[in-house]
Amino acid sequence: MKRAVLLTAVLLCSAVTHAGRANAASAFDQPTTDYMLQFAKPAVKVFVYERYDAKGALYQRDVTALTSPIKVPSATERIINGVTYRLRGLTACPQQKITYKTEEWDCTKAARDYEGAIYNNRASVVLCKTLVLQSKQGEPDAVSCFSLVGVGDANDPYNVAYDDDEMVFFNMAEIGRNKDGKSLRPDLERSSDLGKRFQNEAN
């Protein structure tokens, strides 16, 4: 129950924050459902990959079908259509054991269970964004990923699941710091605080 209340609060906060934003490409904002819906295709799971330049302008967009289930090797790695990506500014599993589904779980297994269900069971569109203009061989692009979930009716309305935020909230990933100790993801600090509070209450 506590987890449901906290997660609902996060989603409501996110919805209010982003509701007024323009339905346009953005390097840093969570996309709206309308933005995600423009890529949706009947009976096809779609992967959208967007590259943004240093000024936050859209540089390149690729739209392809998802040819195989998305794999979750760790809390911060995603393998999509055979290519490995890494969630931007996050470190996987600060603790080996976490509270998940009201039980103690191995952190990596919990991340696989949660995000595997989102990506492979519920998502119709997966969007990942990066500030990397050209991929380097052997080095995963740093990304933020979002999924359009739901079927669009009153019982299961469309919503946008935010992978980075979920991993931090469930304490499956930790926000990284630069050499000066500053947060690499200040946008996720609130979710981190809420998630740590939940974990402390659960334990």
Side-chain angles (χ1 to χ4, degrees):
M1 177 62 73
K2 291 180 180 178
R3 188 188 78 175
V5 171
L6 283 172
L7 184 56
T8 299
V10 171
L11 291 173
L12 287 174
C13 176
S14 177
V16 171
T17 301
H18 300 290
R21 291 177 177 164
N23 186 31
S26 168
F28 306 106
D29 291 343
Q30 180 174 333
T32 64
T33 54
D34 286 343
Y35 186 81
M36 299 287 279
L37 278 167
Q38 68 180 311
F39 305 112
K41 296 180 180 180
V44 177
K45 284 181 176 282
V46 177
F47 176 50
V48 183
Y49 195 55
E50 294 182 339
R51 297 180 188 270
Y52 290 83
D53 64 23
K55 295 181 180 179
L58 182 64
Y59 173 79
Q60 181 182 4
R61 176 191 289 136
D62 295 318
V63 182
T64 58
L66 278 167
T67 57
S68 60
I70 292 175
K71 297 180 181 179
V72 182
S74 75
T76 56
E77 293 175 291
R78 307 290 179 260
I79 300 177
I80 305 174
N81 285 350
V83 179
T84 301
Y85 302 92
R86 174 178 50 82
L87 297 185
R88 177 172 61 92
L90 301 181
T91 302
C93 292
Q95 297 176 333
Q96 185 178 357
K97 299 293 183 180
I98 63 170
T99 299
Y100 174 66
K101 293 184 176 180
T102 70
E103 298 175 349
E104 185 178 78
W105 278 60
D106 174 83
C107 175
T108 300
K109 290 181 179 178
R112 288 173 181 161
D113 180 80
Y114 186 85
E115 287 302 337
I118 293 289
Y119 281 127
N120 299 317
N121 297 338
R122 302 206 64 217
S124 54
V125 177
V126 174
L127 165 66
C128 291
K129 304 179 181 184
T130 185
L131 297 174
V132 178
L133 298 186
Q134 186 171 357
S135 302
K136 296 181 181 178
Q137 187 172 1
E139 183 177 325
D141 289 351
V143 300
S144 288
C145 293
F146 310 86
S147 300
L148 179 68
V149 298
V151 298
D153 61 23
N155 294 322
D156 190 12
Y158 288 122
N159 204 342
V160 178
Y162 186 3
D163 194 344
D164 309 39
D165 187 272
E166 291 158 357
M167 291 297 94
V168 168
F169 176 78
F170 286 118
N171 205 37
M172 297 172 186
E174 184 175 50
I175 297 171
R177 305 280 167 181
N178 66 15
K179 61 182 180 180
D180 298 322
K182 293 183 179 179
S183 174
L184 295 178
R185 296 298 303 270
D187 56 312
L188 300 180
E189 290 290 351
R190 183 172 182 273
S191 289
S192 176
D193 290 342
L194 285 171
K196 288 176 181 176
R197 192 182 313 166
F198 161 71
Q199 289 290 325
N200 289 335
E201 291 176 355
N203 294 326

